[in-house]
């Protein structure tokens, strides 16, 4: 038998082997991120002396910005009605408005995270080289998820994204909370990955393909002989993605992991990772499995409802601002799920816009928290923010805008975001969900307003005895906060550009013709 | 012949599995696991899945069990675990209930599979087609899954960088993290 096995190696085959064409132009943003990270690794290893933190910040920002520009460069190509979206590398990836927009958004979050991390890494004395490399590679995993037109590629992207983040969460190895955060994230993340992989296997069993376009085509033509297999697979996929994006009841890891991880990493988790996770959910469940919408919509409805109720309810009892923001990110996942649950192009566009708006507010809010914290990421409870407006009026104002944005106050991006997903829910006749969303955003407002009240009305006496250390704002972090603030306000006042882009960015369903 | 090979392989698998559960010495348990995995490899060969059989031996019996043995050796072979204490309350009862449930479910599935023949064509391609499954596997790996195949290289890079980051800690820094003054962990390297 063994001999037969090896004999097979020499079997000549006459069938021609067509090597798939690699469209390098489609891969440019991904390659920029990966090659940038590898180049950083090589440079760091070859240069004999320790390079300054600033070098890594500038390089990371340049690489990520390059990826964003490269991605947006193909926007006209993929949204042109004559040429339209296309597939590359044997149908493994899709270039459409959706992937272009998500890729650009991920790259921009990396730019802001790198800027925020600059001062943080100096303060904590952490290795900037490893941090930059891991953030860039993690983002490349997110880009793979955005591009994926195949469940295997989707899974690999998710693993690249997650494994880099497990390390980043435990980056501050001297701090016990950071280690705990990494361990929790790793164990639950691996658990979620197993669910996802099993779901992929079941969907493959039911439809005979891992290619999203072929799955959609199969479901449009035929009914799977084993409906249970498909339903089981879908349920597993939803559980797997649900863990990654942190929706109730799969949210238990979020508060501890967000609180323990270094704050710039937390900012990336709340922005980049949520974007990638929801991009995967939108592409797999909403787009490829759209035929099965009557099966997964009730599940999404329940998940959205639970998330909308539990997230804000837990947020209002927190006294630690970082932890409060972690719970608030759960409630925002609930809002984005409303767009997913709508199962319509409008819902997808709403969810995308929400992701765009929330990413910047989350980056900004966690950015402020990382500045206010003392060395070792301690002291981010509500008392520390008391009277911040007297010590640092600018910082307090910026933080207030981010918090008001997350509340959904008009003239901020949060209002337009909430409006777009709730509008999509109403259009899809999910009235109850829309009502609950509006009610819970009022409840959630209490959590944000408490911080604002503490900043503006709280007295500074407790802080005075601790010493008159002013909150330092490094230039890079200031730039990041300024950018996030500009986006938050601009999207609130003039949202039409991004709204239109989100409308054009509905995932395409392409199937490789064989 | 088929029945005979299956019977022998199944016996090897079952004895190995029993051995894993019942042996007192962790090293013996790991070696019994190797036996089980070899038996499964034989079953794969019988099913014409030659490549899977080779991977089964190389990856599971080779790499993973060796990793188990490394961990056991590092922790100390002599350390006998006290198996009378239940770390989680009700663990043992739950184990029996779940075992009974799994066995019942598998039996029901086996009976159903024997009774009902769906007679539907498989959605996947036959394994022993043109050029054998190794050639077929190579073809899809370098055509349909070329991108995924290359993407795994990024995963390996992250694994290396991550291992370096997590292992490159200044000694003693994990203890008393709360009180200790901050010490840079090889910043910039």
């Amino acid at each position: 038998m063994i001999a037969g096995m090896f004999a097979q190696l020499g079997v000549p085959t006459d069938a021609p082997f067509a090597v798939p064409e690699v469209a390098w132009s489609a891969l440019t943003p991904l390659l920029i991120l990966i090659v940038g990270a590898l180049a950083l690794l090589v440079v760091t290893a070859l240069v004999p002396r320790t390079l300054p933190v600033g070098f890594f910040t500038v390089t990371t920002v340049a690489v990520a910005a390059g990826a964003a520009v490269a991605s947006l460069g193909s926007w006209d190509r993929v949204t042109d009605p004559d040429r339209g979206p296309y597939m590359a590398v044997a149908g493994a990836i899709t270039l459409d408005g959706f992937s272009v927009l998500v890729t650009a958004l991920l790259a921009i979050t990396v730019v802001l995270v790198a800027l925020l991390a600059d001062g943080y890494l100096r303060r904590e004395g952490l290795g900037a080289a490893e941090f930059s490399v891991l953030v860039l590679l993690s983002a490349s995993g997110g880009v793979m998820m955005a591009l994926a037109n195949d469940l295997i590629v989707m899974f690999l992207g998710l693993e690249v994204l997650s494994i880099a983040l497990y390390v980043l969460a435990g980056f501050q190895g001297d701090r016990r909370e950071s280690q705990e955060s990494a361990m929790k994230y790793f164990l639950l993340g691996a658990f979620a990955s197993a669910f996802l992989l099993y779901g992929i296997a079941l969907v493959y069993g039911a439809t005979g393909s891992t290619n999203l376009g072929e799955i959609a085509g199969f479901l449009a033509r035929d009914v799977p002989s084993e409906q249970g297999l498909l339903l089981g697979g879908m349920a597993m996929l939803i559980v797997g993605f649900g863990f990654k994006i942190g929706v109730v009841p799969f949210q238990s890891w979020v508060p501890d992991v967000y609180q323990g991880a270094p704050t710039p990493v937390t900012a990336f988790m709340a922005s980049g990772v949520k974007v990638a996770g929801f991009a995967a959910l939108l592409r797999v469940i909403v787009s490829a499995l759209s035929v099965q919408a009557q099966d997964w919509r009730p599940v999404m409805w329940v998940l959205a409802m639970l998330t909308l109720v539990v997230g804000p309810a837990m947020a209002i009892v927190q006294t630690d601002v970082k932890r409060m923001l972690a719970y608030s990110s759960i409630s925002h996942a609930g809002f984005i799920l409303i767009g997913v649950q709508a199962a319509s192009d409008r819902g997808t566009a709403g969810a995308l816009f929400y992701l765009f708006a929330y990413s910047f507010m989350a980056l900004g809010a966690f950015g402020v928290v990382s500045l206010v914290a003392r060395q070792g990421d301690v002291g981010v409870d509500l008392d520390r923010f008391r009277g911040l407006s007297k010590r640092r009026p600018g910082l307090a104002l910026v933080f207030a805008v981010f918090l008001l944005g997350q509340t959904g106050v008009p003239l901020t991006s949060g209002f337009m975001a909430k409006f777009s997903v709730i509008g999509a829910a109403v259009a899809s006749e999910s009235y109850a969900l829309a009502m609950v969303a509006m009610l819970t955003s009022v409840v959630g407002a209490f959590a944000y307003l408490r911080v604002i009240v503490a900043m503006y009305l709280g007295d500074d006496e407790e802080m005075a005895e601790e010493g008159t250390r002013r909150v330092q704002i490094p230039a890079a972090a200031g730039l990041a906060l300024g950018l996030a603030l500009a986006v938050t306000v601009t999207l609130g006042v003039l949202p039409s550009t991004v709204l239109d882009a989100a409308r054009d960015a509905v995932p395409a369903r392409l199937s490789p013709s064989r | 012949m088929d029945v005979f090979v299956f019977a022998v392989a199944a016996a090897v698998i079952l004895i190995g599995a029993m051995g894993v559960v019942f042996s007192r010495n962790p090293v013996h348990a790991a070696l019994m696991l190797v036996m089980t995995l070899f038996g499964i490899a034989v079953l794969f060969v019988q099913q014409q899945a030659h490549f899977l059989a080779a991977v089964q031996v190389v990856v599971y019996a080779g790499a993973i069990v060796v990793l188990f043995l490394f961990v056991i050796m590092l922790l100390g072979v002599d350390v006998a675990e006290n198996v009378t204490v239940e770390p989680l309350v009700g663990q043992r009862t739950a184990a029996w209930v779940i075992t009974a449930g799994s066995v019942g479910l598998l039996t029901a599935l086996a009976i159903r599979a024997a009774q009902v023949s769906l007679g539907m064509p498989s959605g996947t391609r036959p394994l022993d087609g043109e050029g054998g499954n190794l050639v077929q596997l190579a073809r899809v790996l370098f055509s349909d899954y070329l991108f995924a195949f290359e993407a795994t290289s990024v995963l390996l890079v992250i694994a290396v960088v991550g291992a370096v980051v997590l292992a490159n800690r200044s000694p003693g820094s994990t203890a008393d993290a709360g009180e200790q003054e901050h010490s840079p962990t090889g910043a910039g390297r």
Side-chain angles (χ1 to χ4, degrees), chain B residues 2-146:
Chain B
D2 272 1
V3 178
F4 178 70
V5 173
F6 174 78
V8 172
V12 168
I13 292 170
L14 281 179
I15 293 170
M18 295 286 193
V20 174
V21 180
F22 290 116
S23 42
R24 294 263 159 198
N25 189 326
V27 177
H28 292 173
L31 292 175
M32 285 304 214
L33 187 61
V34 175
M35 188 163 136
T36 307
L37 296 171
F38 264 112
I40 293 170
V42 171
L43 287 184
F44 279 144
V45 172
Q46 201 191 12
Q47 300 284 322
Q48 306 293 322
H50 302 293
F51 180 74
L52 209 52
V55 168
Q56 171 84 11
V57 173
V58 173
V59 174
Y60 281 93
I64 291 181
V65 174
V66 168
L67 199 67
F68 279 174
L69 286 173
F70 263 126
V71 174
I72 294 168
M73 300 290 180
L74 280 177
L75 292 180
V77 187
D78 308 331
V79 180
E81 199 183 344
N82 186 357
V83 286
T84 51
V85 197
E86 275 189 285
L88 298 171
V89 180
Q91 196 181 21
R92 220 149 280 182
T93 325
W96 280 115
V97 171
I98 293 170
T99 308
S102 312
V103 169
L105 206 63
L106 280 174
T107 315
L109 273 177
I111 290 169
R112 180 173 178 269
Q115 283 173 347
V116 188
S117 174
L118 293 167
M120 275 171 307
S122 161
T124 54
R125 281 173 249 170
L127 275 171
D128 52 351
E130 162 223 333
N133 61 72
L134 198 59
V135 174
Q136 286 191 26
L137 203 76
R139 277 174 182 276
V140 291
L141 201 58
F142 288 101
S143 59
D144 289 1
Y145 296 105
L146 178 67

Side-chain angles (χ1 to χ4, degrees), chain A residues 1 5 8-9 13 15-16 20 27 44 50 90 124 127 130 137 153 156 160 170 173-174 179 204 210 225-226 514, chain B residues 45 50 118 120 124-125 130 134 139 142-145 147-148 154-155 158 165 169 173-174 177 182-183 187-189:
Chain A
M1 254 178 259
M5 214 164 85
Q8 282 174 359
L9 288 168
T13 53
L27 295 173
T44 317
T50 306
E124 308 288 339
E130 295 93 333
L137 286 179
V153 177
L156 281 171
V160 169
D174 297 349
Q179 292 177 358
Y204 173 70
T210 55
S225 50
E226 289 281 356
R514 269 195 282 191
Chain B
V45 172
H50 302 293
L118 293 167
M120 275 171 307
T124 54
R125 281 173 249 170
E130 162 223 333
L134 198 59
R139 277 174 182 276
F142 288 101
S143 59
D144 289 1
Y145 296 105
F147 186 83
V154 182
L155 212 52
I158 289 185
V165 170
R169 295 266 155 76
S173 65
T174 50
H182 173 78
S183 59
R189 289 296 303 174

Side-chain angles (χ1 to χ4, degrees), chain A residues 251-295:
Chain A
Q251 91 297 1
S252 54
W253 59 275
V254 173
D256 289 341
V257 171
Y258 275 36
Q259 194 182 16
T263 316
V265 177
T266 312
F268 186 61
M269 285 178 190
S271 56
V273 179
K274 271 212 163 51
V275 170
F278 270 105
L281 192 70
L282 286 168
R283 205 186 268 289
V284 176
I285 304 291
V286 179
S287 177
L289 296 171
S290 60
V291 181
Q292 304 286 326
Q294 80 276 11
D295 293 324

Side-chain angles (χ1 to χ4, degrees), chain A residues 163-231:
Chain A
I163 292 179
L165 271 171
Y166 303 148
V167 180
L168 281 173
F171 205 71
Q172 223 169 359
D174 297 349
R175 244 178 69 233
R176 209 161 262 167
E177 295 81 24
S178 182
Q179 292 177 358
E180 181 195 337
S181 159
M183 203 61 205
K184 271 194 177 143
Y185 198 23
F186 172 64
L187 289 178
L188 285 170
F191 192 58
S193 293
F195 266 101
L196 196 66
L197 205 53
Y198 199 26
I200 291 172
L202 291 183
V203 170
Y204 173 70
T207 62
S209 178
T210 55
N211 188 286
L212 292 176
E214 289 192 359
I215 290 172
F218 176 87
L219 294 176
R221 284 191 315 272
D222 312 290
V223 176
S225 50
E226 289 281 356
Q227 188 74 18
L229 216 54
L230 183 65
L231 292 181

Side-chain angles (χ1 to χ4, degrees), chain A residues 29-75:
Chain A
L30 185 62
L31 288 179
I32 290 178
L33 288 174
I34 294 173
V35 172
L38 294 180
L40 263 183
L41 267 184
V42 173
V43 168
T44 317
L46 291 183
V47 173
R49 62 193 181 82
T50 306
L51 291 161
V53 177
F55 167 77
F56 293 105
T57 307
V58 170
T59 320
T60 312
V61 168
V63 169
V69 171
S71 179
L72 288 175
S74 54
W75 173 259

